[in-house]
Amino acid sequence: MNLQTLFQDFNPSKFLVHSCLMLFTALFALRLDDTINWSYWTVFAPIWFWKLMVVAGATVGSYVWSRYPLSRLEGEAYVHYKAMLISLALHLVLLMFELLVCDKLETGRHLWILVFIPLIFISIVSIAVCIWAAKHDRSFELELFCAVNILQFIFLALRLDGFISWSWEVVFVPLWIVMCLSLVGVLYSIIFASILLRTPEVNAQQRRSSFNSALSYTCLVLPILIFQVLLTNKLDEDISLSFLAVVSPLFITFITLILMSFGSKGGNKWWFGIRKDFCAFLLGLCPFLQEYANIAYSVHNVDENRDRSSGTADSTTPLPTPAPTPPAYELRDKAQKRPNKKNDLMKPVVPFISIDMPD
């Protein structure tokens, strides 16, 4: 176990977002089931914490940007800072949507179409943001999700306001299309991983990487599809499950996303003005973690312990320090003190020196 390897590709932003979404999903389902009687402002607490961290991180990053001008010349610092500002703007508009949703659930004094206007605006802007992010090799998961679901948001607002009386199976048609495309991608990853596993020319690392990718995509897409089927039947009153049971498949997706955040790499280095990888920042901030990261643990089986006890040294057993070779004159003196025996020759381990005993 190596702590530095564990956090080397850790993405703290994705870890925070997915953890907050998982907690919010559980609280929201419990509130819809009347298991808890909290106000919706309290139920949305994980979302408020997420947005608070975004605003605080962008504020500290902007302060560091203005306070240390030389840091702007470090690699792609300008692209990272611009990406942080774009993400901050999108999160602020998303915060407006979440505030309207919470107020609508508490008071019911707005139309849902008015509540969804900020989200529809984000979906339109996200198309341009996705193009910019792809051009500068930046991640755009949230922007891509909003861009491909713009029609779904419109259908949801119209259905909740009663302007259309379609069944929920028809309302979720845009999402069904997205899920079908995702299933095609999952099927491709599984077939590709199967081919690599049966190809002897491919090394073990590539096989392991393809297998992990196929497993991750499967754990991401299939639970969402099951959740969508259960939610549609629940809203159409075809089943009598609780909302907590309906959203339970999403927990598998969130746990998978949280685990994947430890190998996602990337991340914007200007959040909170860190300007370095999170692993290096964390180890530099906490010296005891840095000391622990230098310790590696390995477990040996019984056969290795037997070989070690029998005198066979493995790669992890330190070799004994050899005794120093005595000088040549000491060897000569010892040879002269030995009794004269015929054909008794002594050759010490000294380069280019050979001492023969007289007959």
Side-chain angles (χ1 to χ4, degrees):
M1 181 174 59
N2 195 320
L3 187 64
Q4 186 173 2
T5 303
L6 180 64
F7 284 94
Q8 185 175 4
D9 299 330
F10 178 61
N11 193 318
S13 301
K14 294 183 178 181
F15 180 82
L16 173 66
V17 172
H18 300 149
S19 300
C20 292
L21 286 177
M22 183 175 67
L23 182 58
F24 165 73
T25 302
L27 293 177
F28 192 70
L30 292 174
R31 180 63 178 83
L32 293 178
D33 291 332
D34 293 329
T35 305
I36 57 177
N37 296 322
W38 302 350
S39 66
Y40 283 100
W41 297 101
T42 306
V43 172
F44 275 69
I47 303 297
W48 310 142
F49 177 74
W50 168 18
K51 296 303 183 294
L52 176 63
M53 296 298 292
V54 170
V55 175
T59 303
V60 176
S62 300
Y63 171 77
V64 175
W65 172 271
S66 60
R67 184 68 175 81
Y68 302 97
L70 295 179
S71 60
R72 307 173 188 175
L73 305 177
E74 299 175 355
E76 298 181 351
Y78 179 74
V79 176
H80 283 261
Y81 182 71
K82 189 175 181 179
M84 185 186 69
L85 295 182
I86 294 174
S87 179
L88 174 64
L90 294 178
H91 278 83
L92 290 178
V93 180
L94 185 60
L95 176 62
M96 184 183 301
F97 163 74
E98 293 160 355
L99 291 173
L100 291 175
V101 170
C102 196
D103 184 69
K104 171 66 177 178
L105 294 174
E106 284 288 338
T107 62
R109 57 186 175 184
H110 303 294
L111 292 175
W112 281 105
I113 191 64
L114 297 178
V115 173
F116 273 82
I117 286 179
L119 193 57
I120 297 173
F121 174 76
I122 291 177
S123 302
I124 298 174
V125 176
S126 295
I127 300 175
V129 175
C130 290
I131 297 175
W132 180 87
K135 182 179 178 181
H136 293 86
D137 195 19
R138 303 292 304 170
S139 61
F140 48 92
E141 288 86 355
L142 177 61
E143 295 81 2
L144 182 63
F145 173 80
C146 294
V148 299
N149 289 302
I150 178 173
L151 190 60
Q152 183 64 74
F153 299 148
I154 297 175
F155 284 178
L156 282 176
L158 295 177
R159 180 63 177 83
L160 291 173
D161 284 331
F163 291 110
I164 57 177
S165 58
W166 303 342
S167 65
W168 285 100
E169 292 180 354
V170 180
V171 172
F172 284 120
V173 164
L175 193 56
W176 292 120
I177 297 175
V178 174
M179 294 307 301
C180 290
L181 296 177
S182 301
L183 286 177
V184 172
V186 170
L187 183 61
Y188 170 78
S189 64
I190 294 176
I191 295 175
F192 183 72
S194 302
I195 294 175
L196 290 185
L197 289 177
R198 296 177 178 273
T199 305
E201 293 81 5
V202 181
N203 56 34
Q205 184 177 2
Q206 293 179 345
R207 296 178 183 176
R208 190 182 306 112
S209 177
S210 62
F211 176 78
N212 292 338
S213 299
L215 181 61
S216 301
Y217 294 151
T218 304
C219 294
L220 287 178
V221 176
L222 289 184
I224 296 178
L225 181 61
I226 297 174
F227 159 74
Q228 185 177 348
V229 173
L230 294 177
L231 180 62
T232 302
N233 294 328
K234 173 67 176 179
L235 296 177
D236 287 334
E237 299 181 353
D238 294 334
I239 57 176
S240 59
L241 291 177
S242 63
F243 280 100
L244 184 61
V246 170
V247 302
S248 57
L250 286 181
F251 295 146
I252 301 177
T253 299
F254 286 131
I255 292 175
T256 304
L257 289 172
I258 291 174
L259 294 177
M260 290 176 61
S261 64
F262 286 91
S264 298
K265 298 183 180 180
N268 199 317
K269 300 180 180 180
W270 282 102
W271 291 111
F272 292 96
I274 294 178
R275 295 180 297 164
K276 59 177 69 174
D277 293 335
F278 182 76
C279 175
F281 173 77
L282 184 63
L283 295 179
L285 187 64
C286 304
F288 68 93
L289 290 179
Q290 185 174 3
E291 181 179 358
Y292 178 73
N294 293 326
I295 301 176
Y297 300 92
S298 60
V299 180
H300 301 278
N301 55 25
V302 180
D303 295 336
E304 292 178 347
N305 293 331
R306 290 176 179 177
D307 294 340
R308 184 182 303 174
S309 61
S310 61
T312 304
D314 55 2
S315 58
T316 59
T317 305
L319 296 176
T321 305
T325 304
Y329 64 88
E330 293 184 3
L331 296 176
R332 187 180 301 110
D333 294 341
K334 292 181 180 180
Q336 292 177 358
K337 294 179 180 180
R338 293 180 58 185
N340 295 334
K341 294 182 179 180
K342 190 174 182 179
N343 298 328
D344 187 9
L345 303 178
M346 181 181 67
K347 298 182 180 295
V349 186
V350 179
F352 306 109
I353 296 178
S354 176
I355 303 176
D356 296 336
M357 292 296 296
D359 293 337

